[in-house]
Amino acid sequence: NYFYGLSSGGGQGLHEAQRFPEDYDGIVCYVPAHYRTRHVIEGRAAYRAGKLKEKGFMEQVLSGPGAVSAYDMDDAAFARFIETIRDDVDASSTDLDAFVKRGGKLIVVSALSDRIVPSVTARDYCEALAKRYGGVEKTDPFFRAYFLPGRGHTRATGPDGVVDIPSTAALTDWVERGVAPDAMTGTTLKGGTKRIEPWRGEPAPAAGTGKTE
């Protein structure tokens, strides 16, 4: 069984690996919105600084009309609110022991020009996962991450931006044939190709220039 999810669905994929490890043999998490309390905290700060005009951002993140009122809470009440929702909405645990034990494979794909779910959240998860298991080499049997240049949350942001990589085909090969993924060939908006190397513990590449979305 396989799971592929994008954005909120990508966060759900991480939830599956962390909390329901028996459900799927392989999971692809594309631009995963897995650290929702972080987005809410940053969104509230931006709103209060006048950089974000719509409170509805919080409703989009938390999928509930009552959530927008949290922007108007005092700091202490807001902190309590975050703690009450953290376990339900975040998928930030690095404990994949049960998923790994049954042979599960996980691929995370992040977009470097994504301002809705910034790639730093994926990088931080990669680093935390590697730290928990003792290094990237220790996560190699079950985890890969790729950072796509010139791609926003839902599409490439310019002609040289990477539209996609064959992550689902790579996952199938990994699960069914034991062929672990390495570099993948990404397709660009203008029809070219780019070689996308897997993350190996280095800082994530810079987002680069051009429009973000």
Side-chain angles (χ1 to χ4, degrees):
N1 291 333
Y2 298 98
F3 182 100
Y4 175 95
L6 183 148
S7 191
S8 294
Q12 291 168 7
L14 285 173
H15 264 293
E16 285 288 336
Q18 295 163 14
R19 303 186 184 189
F20 307 101
E22 301 292 332
D23 285 357
Y24 297 98
D25 302 303
I27 297 172
V28 173
C29 301
Y30 226 98
V31 292
H34 65 286
Y35 201 172
R36 294 191 170 198
T37 55
R38 178 174 180 168
H39 302 318
V40 169
I41 292 168
E42 292 173 351
R44 178 177 181 264
Y47 176 77
R48 291 195 160 194
K51 298 177 182 179
L52 182 68
K53 302 301 182 183
E54 299 293 332
K55 292 183 185 179
F57 171 81
M58 184 179 288
E59 185 175 349
Q60 294 172 25
V61 171
L62 297 182
S63 303
V68 297
S69 64
Y71 272 17
D72 299 317
M73 294 176 180
D74 63 44
D75 290 346
F78 181 72
R80 290 193 297 271
F81 169 74
I82 289 296
E83 289 308 310
T84 62
I85 66 172
R86 190 182 301 279
D87 288 344
D88 291 330
V89 303
D90 283 353
S92 55
S93 172
T94 56
D95 184 356
L96 302 183
D97 289 358
F99 183 71
V100 173
K101 185 177 180 179
R102 64 180 302 271
K105 311 298 183 188
L106 174 63
I107 295 176
V108 168
V109 183
S110 183
L112 288 172
S113 294
D114 189 343
R115 67 178 179 86
I116 297 175
V117 182
S119 60
V120 65
T121 61
R123 183 203 65 202
D124 288 351
Y125 185 76
C126 292
E127 291 176 349
L129 193 68
K131 182 178 180 179
R132 184 184 193 279
Y133 285 95
V136 175
E137 296 79 8
K138 299 294 185 180
T139 64
D140 275 348
F142 63 90
F143 179 74
R144 291 290 188 282
Y146 297 85
F147 291 85
L148 306 187
R151 180 186 162 103
H153 194 61
T154 60
R155 62 181 182 269
T157 57
D160 293 317
V162 174
V163 177
D164 202 3
I165 56 174
S167 54
T168 54
L171 182 68
T172 301
D173 282 344
W174 199 5
V175 171
E176 299 184 9
R177 288 175 279 280
V179 180
D182 193 10
M184 297 192 198
T185 300
T187 55
T188 67
L189 189 61
K190 68 178 182 182
T193 60
K194 284 188 177 180
R195 180 181 173 90
I196 308 298
E197 299 284 347
W199 179 80
R200 300 300 303 166
E202 69 281 0
T209 59
K211 177 184 175 184
T212 59
E213 65 102 33

